[in-house]
Amino acid sequence: MRISKGVEWAGHACALLAPLWPDKGLPLSALAEFHDLPEPYMAKQMQALARAGIVSGGRGRSGFYTLARSPSEITLLDILRAVDGEEPMFRCSEIRQNGPCGASPADCKSPCNIAAGFWRAEQAYRDSLARVDLAAVARSVAAQLGSDKIAQAGEWVEANVRTRT
Amino acid sequence: MRISKGVEWAGHACALLAPLWPDKGLPLSALAEFHDLPEPYMAKQMQALARAGIVSGGRGRSGFYTLARSPSEITLLDILRAVDGEEPMFRCSEIRQNGPCGASPADCKSPCNIAAGFWRAEQAYRDSLARVDLAAVARSVAAQLGSDKIAQAGEWVEANVRTRT
């Protein structure tokens, strides 16, 4: 039960793009450079985000990524699902149907309480992630940094930003 | 992000032991047979449960497992942790400290909102699992089966049960 590193990377890339929405973005090389991450693996995360409709653009040498919708409409749950998929964590293999006293499939139309308990917990997990949107993430990242760092990051973004024409 | 099958197996083994608590239990071979599971892999889960203080006994040919405490004091969270460990799902590698505008460690004393969001969701997940105890699981397993199946399982248990002397 480990979330791939790509989720962290994708989250930070999106947080970097959030203040640039709607018409500005950054090329893949800059998204990788800002956090000193290897470009090919960063590319993989950005492609996953693009497939999920969270970012758009990025193709070709002169391409760049922008958020595909408002930061307030993108949540940590969206990013997790884009990168790590939507499979449930708990997989029920219906072992109650096995063995000398196995239940019949007809008696197993509703999930047993073990599976139901895990799936309810997963729903609580997803609900919690769905309450954290990128606008809030970007605000808090800024609030945690000092004003010097914000100015420095602002200059770096200014030097790398691209604008949709 | 996938929970190992062992969690499901351990959960069902505990549900089978719950009505036998405090003085009765089942040998490993019976715990495996009841759900038609391979004994060596079942053994691994029972050892993990024993290490976590959820079951006791089990050693030797004539040994058998009992719950180590009341079914109402064992939750799905306890079983998950015993089998899958306590590592967080989300690992933060502090990439905000990387790159040309990297934050200083001094500015990173509190987790960034991305890590905090994932960890809060994990807490919601654990809280939900901690609300499901084995007594409730065992009751609902019984309620879902028909009375014929309950009688059949009762006879099977009667033929395999061991009592602590």
Side-chain angles (χ1 to χ4, degrees):
Chain A
M1 272 177 78
R2 189 180 284 207
I3 293 176
S4 76
K5 260 190 216 172
V7 173
E8 180 187 12
W9 297 19
H12 280 278
C14 286
L16 192 56
L17 292 174
L20 307 178
W21 188 83
D23 61 332
K24 293 185 173 63
L26 290 165
L28 173 64
S29 57
L31 288 167
E33 185 196 334
F34 189 83
H35 291 113
D36 195 18
L37 299 171
E39 200 172 304
Y41 193 48
M42 189 78 240
K44 208 183 136 200
Q45 316 316 323
M46 298 311 295
Q47 285 154 13
L49 292 171
R51 272 194 302 275
I54 294 173
V55 300
S56 55
R59 282 174 201 233
R61 238 169 210 292
S62 60
F64 59 95
Y65 284 103
T66 61
L67 292 187
R69 54 184 194 265
S70 159
S72 64
E73 288 166 6
I74 298 168
T75 71
L76 290 185
L77 179 62
D78 297 326
I79 294 168
L80 174 70
R81 284 180 157 166
V83 174
D84 259 8
E86 309 205 4
E87 291 280 295
M89 295 186 253
F90 185 86
R91 241 64 68 91
C92 173
S93 55
E94 282 289 343
I95 61 172
R96 62 182 165 167
Q97 296 185 30
N98 296 352
C101 310
S104 68
D107 285 336
C108 297
K109 280 176 190 153
S110 56
C112 85
N113 225 20
I114 295 175
F118 277 99
W119 290 334
R120 202 162 45 234
E122 290 184 33
Q123 188 59 50
Y125 178 74
R126 288 191 296 267
D127 288 348
S128 179
L129 289 177
R131 285 192 293 269
V132 186
D133 66 54
L134 265 185
V137 167
R139 271 196 307 273
S140 82
V141 167
Q144 284 176 318
L145 290 176
S147 55
D148 284 3
K149 278 288 166 197
I150 294 174
Q152 191 188 345
E155 278 170 35
W156 182 92
V157 167
E158 198 55 49
N160 288 278
V161 75
R162 309 279 179 86
T163 304
R164 204 146 50 192
T165 49
Chain B
M1 273 175 76
R2 189 179 285 205
I3 292 176
S4 76
K5 259 190 217 172
V7 173
E8 181 188 12
W9 296 19
H12 280 278
C14 287
L16 193 56
L17 292 174
L20 307 179
W21 188 83
D23 61 331
K24 294 186 173 64
L26 290 166
L28 173 64
S29 57
L31 287 167
E33 184 196 335
F34 189 84
H35 290 112
D36 195 18
L37 300 171
E39 199 173 305
Y41 192 48
M42 190 76 241
K44 208 181 136 199
Q45 316 316 323
M46 297 313 294
Q47 286 155 11
L49 292 171
R51 272 193 302 275
I54 294 173
V55 299
S56 56
R59 282 175 201 230
R61 243 173 205 291
S62 60
F64 58 96
Y65 284 103
T66 60
L67 291 187
R69 54 184 195 263
S70 158
S72 64
E73 288 165 7
I74 297 168
T75 69
L76 290 185
L77 180 61
D78 297 326
I79 294 168
L80 174 69
R81 283 179 157 165
V83 176
D84 260 8
E86 307 206 8
E87 291 279 296
M89 295 186 252
F90 185 86
R91 241 64 68 91
C92 173
S93 55
E94 282 290 342
I95 60 172
R96 61 182 166 167
Q97 296 185 29
N98 296 353
C101 310
S104 68
D107 285 336
C108 297
K109 280 175 190 156
S110 56
C112 86
N113 225 21
I114 294 174
F118 277 99
W119 290 333
R120 202 162 45 234
E122 290 183 33
Q123 189 58 51
Y125 178 74
R126 288 190 296 267
D127 288 347
S128 179
L129 290 178
R131 284 193 293 269
V132 186
D133 66 55
L134 265 184
V137 167
R139 272 196 307 273
S140 82
V141 167
Q144 285 177 318
L145 291 175
S147 54
D148 285 2
K149 278 287 165 197
I150 293 174
Q152 191 187 343
E155 278 169 36
W156 182 91
V157 166
E158 200 54 51
N160 287 278
V161 75
R162 309 278 179 87
T163 304
R164 204 149 46 192
T165 50

